[in-house]
Amino acid sequence: MIAKARLDALTDGIFAVAMTVLVLDLRFPPDLHLGTGQELIGALRELLWGPFVAYAISFFVIGLRWRTISRLGGTRAHVGRTYVRWSLVHLFFITCMPFSTMVMGRHIDLAPAVWLYAANTALAAGTAWWLVRASEAEEDTGQTAEANVTMPVLIGIAVLSVGVSLLSPRLAMWAYVLVLLVPALVRWRGVTVAG
């Protein structure tokens, strides 16, 4: 058994760092030389439609995951090995998000960048689902119903983005905007969300 508070601290720290590191890739190319206000506006537009879209979407996807994970574990002071194991696997995929986001932001016109990001998203969602199952096996906190909605939706959005990337990689990231509909879908499905 491991103290749940210790695992919660590690989880919060990793999510905070991952969400913060995402923004570090928002920068102009080092060889960019701007001479006019119009050139700056053009450079900002290029940054906005590439790396910033990837950053913003990743920030909210990770935030949604943190929200779900932060409610796991219930009131118990200690958690078992299975819960800890799935927590660490899930955190591994969360720590990979800044890398897949960076690749996506820098190569938004290339379908393999979308595939990498989608794989990272789907694997993190899948391990989060197993983490919820491990948590519920130790103490029923009522999180399974929500996870049974949110995790398949996240995986479905990732698959949708891969499909869109075959037609237009630049538009594929916009599939993740559907993440904003997840709370409404959870309410519509009648899932009670604690906290």
Side-chain angles (χ1 to χ4, degrees), residues 43 92 112 123 151 188:
F92 170 78
L123 289 167
M151 299 314 153
W188 178 72

Side-chain angles (χ1 to χ4, degrees), residues 125-167:
T127 57
W129 186 80
W130 283 104
L131 177 58
V132 169
R133 289 182 52 101
S135 174
E136 294 295 305
E138 293 180 14
E139 177 183 354
D140 183 10
T141 60
Q143 298 299 313
T144 301
E146 182 181 359
N148 285 340
V149 173
T150 59
M151 299 314 153
V153 168
L154 288 171
I155 293 169
I157 290 169
V159 170
L160 175 64
S161 75
V162 168
V164 172
S165 77
L166 299 174
L167 303 171

Side-chain angles (χ1 to χ4, degrees), residues 102-114:
M102 179 268 304
V103 172
M104 185 68 231
R106 290 184 184 179
H107 307 288
I108 199 161
D109 291 320
L110 302 176
V114 174

Side-chain angles (χ1 to χ4, degrees), residues 60-127:
F60 288 107
V61 167
I62 291 173
L64 177 67
R65 293 238 181 79
W66 175 83
R67 186 182 131 254
T68 300
I69 300 304
S70 68
R71 294 184 307 219
L72 292 179
T75 59
R76 61 191 184 272
H78 292 85
V79 290
R81 283 189 298 206
T82 302
Y83 181 83
V84 171
R85 186 178 7 217
W86 282 113
S87 290
L88 292 175
V89 173
H90 181 253
L91 291 174
F92 170 78
F93 289 118
I94 293 302
T95 63
C96 293
M97 287 300 292
F99 174 73
S100 64
T101 300
M102 179 268 304
V103 172
M104 185 68 231
R106 290 184 184 179
H107 307 288
I108 199 161
D109 291 320
L110 302 176
V114 174
W115 305 341
L116 175 66
Y117 188 86
N120 194 170
T121 299
L123 289 167
T127 57

